[in-house]
Amino acid sequence: MLKTTDMLLLLFCLVGTSDSLYKQWIPDTNYENKTNWDKESVPCGNDIVQFPVQRKVSVFVETTNAVQEMRLPVDGEFILNSGAGFYVVSGQDPGCGAGGTTKFKDSESLQWLNPALWQGSATLDDLQHGNFLFSVHEESVPCQYDNVVFKASSSFRVDTSSSQSSVPVKSVSVLGKKYESTSEFTQYLSSRSGRLQFHGSSAVTVGNKECGDPSGCACGNSVNHKRICSTVQCASLGCKKPLLPVGHCCEVCGAIVTIHFATGFNLQTYRQRIHHLFLVLPKYKSIQLGMSKIFKSQQLMGIIPFGTSPEIQVVIVDEEKGTQSEGLARDILKDARSHGSSLGITEAEFQASSGNSSDQTGGSAGMVVGTVFGVLIGISIIITLVFLIRRGVIQMPSSLPSLPSLSSFRRSRDEEDLNGPIDHGYDNPIFDKPNMMPEVPGLYATETKNSISMTQSGVHFVNPVYDDNETDFNA
């Protein structure tokens, strides 16, 4: 008979391997939304309605509304729901108060790359029921494989400027219509509504395929990290050792679980497993958990970069300075120890803002192999440098001592083997020790004609017959 955890695992394996999420834009430009007005209330029959004159705006009107007067912008539109419209009240509206001028707020500055303006869910049903996911800042903004949703009965205006010429996503839903075709969505962007709703230096493009890797794919927003973080304000923290997750703009109080995986790991399956095993428990009710695939840079001996390594990052935060997060992190590690082989998990570890951390689960073979590999690379680099220096490709500074030659090394080894210096016979004062020669004037002068020239390599006699500088054959 199958255990409960095994039944859950079997159920999760039947779920698709898609890692695409649904990201919904929060703001709107709806007429009936009181937060869109400067007085935090919808205008009524005694009010003068004023829109920013020099701004472009697309306003969705859901019902009929009474106004005293309306001042429209130079460029804008009303999208009227069935039966919606405006009318002017004759006289005073008894339920409207004294009346006045009510201004529509400017939505020009709302940015696509602001993570606070998006909500994410694993499914469209979760999105409609308010079951939102927690993500690091980079992944709170729509990723390249995500489905972007603008509420069906609403309009909006968003600045899509980014560090690239385009903002790729899987699909975009506007006014209840889903666009997955590049040509169809491009046509909508060129329409009047499209030009009023989307603006900026980068164009949103649709048609990206689903992530084909069951272990997950990179979000693709790291190139916009600075732009994303420029919209974020970080709060002060009270934990002992705040943590900075990859892709996040601010340090957090909580825990980070790092999972190393092999073939067979499924990110979507594992995300659902953690939710059903732990996040539904009452003690973890206040927990926020975000899970994603990251590519962490690797460094040889902590200095030399030599590529990236894929990992699964699980970020856990709570409202109690990370104490509950650490408990959940330990539970996740226990589950990895028990079921890691069937889940495709090879190693797991965590660090907490309390300062505590864990030893890696799984064997230490990976660390041993990594250490040996690093030592071998270090030796190879040293040998290569010595070879290049000896060949003259790399010039050493003159202030450094020269490297010993192979012949001097062999000579020193011979002396060690014979317990002392080798006896080369008697000394020849002419060829071996020029400083022992008698002080005869002019004998060692190198500039004197018909002289003997002394060098470190020996004695050279100058023959005037063959010396071109001394003999003139034309004389």
Side-chain angles (χ1 to χ4, degrees):
M1 184 174 180
L2 291 175
K3 296 181 181 180
T4 303
T5 53
D6 294 331
M7 292 179 65
L8 283 172
L9 180 60
L10 178 61
L11 175 62
F12 295 151
C13 288
L14 299 177
V15 181
T17 60
S18 171
D19 191 41
S20 61
L21 302 178
Y22 288 83
K23 304 288 176 64
Q24 180 173 266
W25 179 252
I26 298 175
D28 61 52
T29 52
N30 291 5
Y31 189 92
E32 287 80 12
N33 185 351
K34 64 180 183 179
T35 62
N36 288 330
W37 299 94
D38 64 341
K39 294 182 178 180
E40 298 294 327
S41 62
V42 180
C44 52
N46 296 335
D47 292 329
I48 298 174
V49 176
Q50 181 175 328
F51 291 92
V53 178
Q54 300 299 328
R55 296 297 190 186
K56 298 179 180 181
V57 64
S58 173
V59 179
F60 184 86
V61 183
E62 188 174 2
T63 61
T64 57
N65 296 271
V67 296
Q68 182 69 34
E69 181 182 336
M70 184 175 290
R71 300 170 183 174
L72 299 176
V74 174
D75 192 0
E77 69 174 5
F78 287 118
I79 301 176
L80 301 178
N81 194 22
S82 177
F86 299 96
Y87 66 95
V88 177
V89 177
S90 58
Q92 291 291 316
D93 187 348
C96 189
T101 301
T102 304
K103 298 180 180 180
F104 196 82
K105 291 182 180 179
D106 185 10
S107 58
E108 195 76 10
S109 61
L110 300 179
Q111 300 180 41
W112 178 285
L113 294 179
N114 187 342
L117 303 182
W118 295 95
Q119 295 169 327
S121 294
T123 65
L124 188 59
D125 186 65
D126 286 343
L127 194 65
Q128 294 171 349
H129 287 84
N131 299 323
F132 304 124
L133 296 173
F134 168 79
S135 300
V136 294
H137 288 127
E138 281 186 12
E139 298 181 18
S140 296
V141 175
C143 299
Q144 59 182 329
Y145 301 103
D146 287 342
N147 301 283
V148 176
V149 178
F150 294 93
K151 298 172 186 176
S153 298
S154 69
S155 190
F156 56 92
R157 184 161 174 81
V158 55
D159 181 359
T160 60
S161 299
S162 72
S163 300
Q164 297 175 305
S165 60
S166 63
V167 181
V169 293
K170 182 183 177 185
S171 69
V172 174
S173 297
V174 180
L175 295 171
K177 180 176 175 58
K178 186 175 183 178
Y179 295 91
E180 297 180 287
S181 168
T182 302
S183 59
E184 191 177 10
F185 186 63
T186 301
Q187 184 178 357
Y188 178 78
L189 290 177
S190 62
S191 68
R192 179 171 180 79
S193 294
R195 293 195 305 271
L196 291 172
Q197 293 169 341
F198 297 92
H199 71 102
S201 60
S202 304
V204 179
T205 60
V206 301
N208 265 15
K209 303 298 182 181
E210 290 185 353
C211 172
D213 187 348
S215 66
C217 294
C219 174
N221 283 335
S222 58
V223 67
N224 290 309
H225 183 79
K226 289 185 178 180
R227 280 179 174 260
I228 292 172
C229 292
S230 67
T231 66
V232 177
Q233 290 185 347
C234 300
S236 58
L237 302 176
C239 51
K240 180 180 179 181
K241 187 179 179 181
L243 307 173
L244 181 60
V246 176
H248 210 54
C249 301
C250 306
E251 293 181 328
V252 299
C253 291
I256 299 177
V257 179
T258 302
I259 295 175
H260 303 270
F261 58 90
T263 304
F265 179 81
N266 187 301
L267 180 60
Q268 183 71 3
T269 298
Y270 189 66
R271 180 184 286 120
Q272 294 176 350
R273 176 186 179 87
I274 297 301
H275 175 80
H276 287 279
L277 286 181
F278 303 114
L279 297 184
V280 296
L281 299 178
K283 65 177 180 178
Y284 294 137
K285 185 178 180 180
S286 63
I287 287 286
Q288 288 184 310
L289 184 146
M291 185 183 304
S292 59
K293 184 178 184 179
I294 62 173
F295 292 85
K296 187 173 292 185
S297 61
Q298 300 295 306
Q299 293 182 333
L300 176 63
M301 296 179 289
I303 301 175
I304 306 173
F306 65 96
T308 59
S309 173
E311 300 174 354
I312 302 300
Q313 175 181 259
V314 183
V315 182
I316 311 170
V317 296
D318 60 59
E319 300 174 354
E320 300 183 11
K321 297 184 179 180
T323 54
Q324 290 186 340
S325 299
E326 183 175 342
L328 178 55
R330 294 186 183 278
D331 286 345
I332 291 176
L333 256 66
K334 291 178 183 178
D335 180 63
R337 292 190 183 101
S338 302
H339 305 280
S341 58
S342 59
L343 294 170
I345 297 175
T346 57
E347 292 179 0
E349 57 188 347
F350 84 89
Q351 52 182 332
S353 56
S354 63
N356 296 330
S357 61
S358 67
D359 296 329
Q360 292 181 341
T361 64
S364 60
M367 294 184 63
V368 174
V369 172
T371 303
V372 173
F373 181 71
V375 171
L376 291 177
I377 291 181
I379 295 175
S380 301
I381 292 175
I382 294 174
I383 293 176
T384 303
L385 287 174
V386 172
F387 175 77
L388 294 176
I389 292 172
R390 299 300 301 171
R391 294 296 299 270
V393 177
I394 298 178
Q395 298 293 332
M396 294 293 290
S398 58
S399 59
L400 295 178
S402 60
L403 295 175
S405 64
L406 184 60
S407 59
S408 62
F409 173 75
R410 289 176 177 173
R411 184 165 57 250
S412 62
R413 288 296 306 270
D414 291 340
E415 292 180 359
E416 291 178 2
D417 294 340
L418 296 176
N419 297 321
I422 301 175
D423 185 8
H424 295 285
Y426 63 91
D427 295 331
N428 190 321
I430 296 180
F431 296 98
D432 291 337
K433 298 181 180 180
N435 59 336
M436 295 178 61
M437 294 291 291
E439 295 292 336
V440 180
L443 181 60
Y444 309 111
T446 57
E447 300 297 331
T448 306
K449 295 181 180 181
N450 303 327
S451 64
I452 301 175
S453 177
M454 298 295 296
T455 67
Q456 292 295 330
S457 60
V459 181
H460 303 274
F461 296 89
V462 179
N463 192 331
V465 176
Y466 296 97
D467 188 353
D468 294 339
N469 298 326
E470 302 291 339
T471 307
D472 186 1
F473 291 98
N474 296 322

